[in-house]
Amino acid sequence: MKKFLFVLMALCLGACSTSWPESASINPIINDQADNILPNNTRVTVSGNDSRSGSQIIKINLDGKPVVLIPNNIAPSTLLAERLAKGFAKQGAIITSNADNQLTLTINELQVEVTKPGFVYKSRVSIKVSLKAENNGAHITKEYRQSAMQESATLPNTHELEDMLNIQIAKLLNQMLKDPQIRGYIKSGI
């Protein structure tokens, strides 16, 4: 019994002394894309915006402790726009800085928040992104959402939280790349 209490106390003290990094490093991986889905010479410009009030992607919000906010080492809007551009390039688009087809990705929510409302830690991912496809003044805007929740007996580390975000961001980017409306709009605006 004493050993069990000692281990339990060590775990509690270890959780209390967790130090967090100054920044996180998300790295979502998109699925392989089918080659040449888009017509030859389809030129596309992809840019990213972030409409959130803060830059954090990880929020540690535990009762009785200061809230810890951790930003990503690269602006998430830049990273997501880059991955989206690579996906469309694999589909046959020519990615350029000045094209009639313009895709603008706007991050409205992107965060994993860790709380401990009871005996377990809860990690919740919430992502909401809009994608605007524009060509010569005409446009469509679509919204994409992803969420997930995990519970654990111990406080998750930064790597585990980054993995949660990477999985959900990758799902969201793959939805955009497969969206027939977005592809159709790009094809019609050659």
Side-chain angles (χ1 to χ4, degrees), residues 74-149:
I74 298 172
S77 59
T78 302
L79 181 66
L80 270 62
E82 174 194 280
R83 298 298 159 88
L84 194 62
K86 284 183 180 179
F88 281 118
K90 288 277 226 167
Q91 293 180 13
I94 298 167
I95 305 301
T96 179
S97 61
N98 190 11
D100 288 338
N101 279 312
Q102 296 181 8
L103 298 177
T104 305
L105 178 146
T106 301
I107 298 173
N108 300 307
E109 291 178 33
L110 188 134
Q111 180 174 275
V112 59
E113 181 176 13
V114 179
T115 59
K116 190 178 181 195
F119 293 111
V120 296
Y121 293 92
K122 292 188 178 192
S123 303
R124 287 187 174 92
V125 172
S126 178
I127 304 172
K128 183 171 128 183
V129 173
S130 62
L131 183 62
K132 180 179 181 181
E134 189 172 10
N135 187 292
N136 292 322
H139 72 275
I140 61 168
T141 302
K142 299 212 51 188
E143 191 173 275
Y144 304 85
R145 295 174 181 257
Q146 282 297 129
S147 61
M149 201 266 294

Side-chain angles (χ1 to χ4, degrees), residues 52-87:
R52 301 175 302 150
S53 59
S55 63
Q56 74 274 359
I57 61 167
I58 297 175
K59 181 178 183 180
I60 312 300
N61 189 6
L62 304 176
D63 287 342
K65 296 182 182 178
V67 174
V68 177
L69 304 175
I70 304 171
N72 198 49
N73 59 358
I74 298 172
S77 59
T78 302
L79 181 66
L80 270 62
E82 174 194 280
R83 298 298 159 88
L84 194 62
K86 284 183 180 179

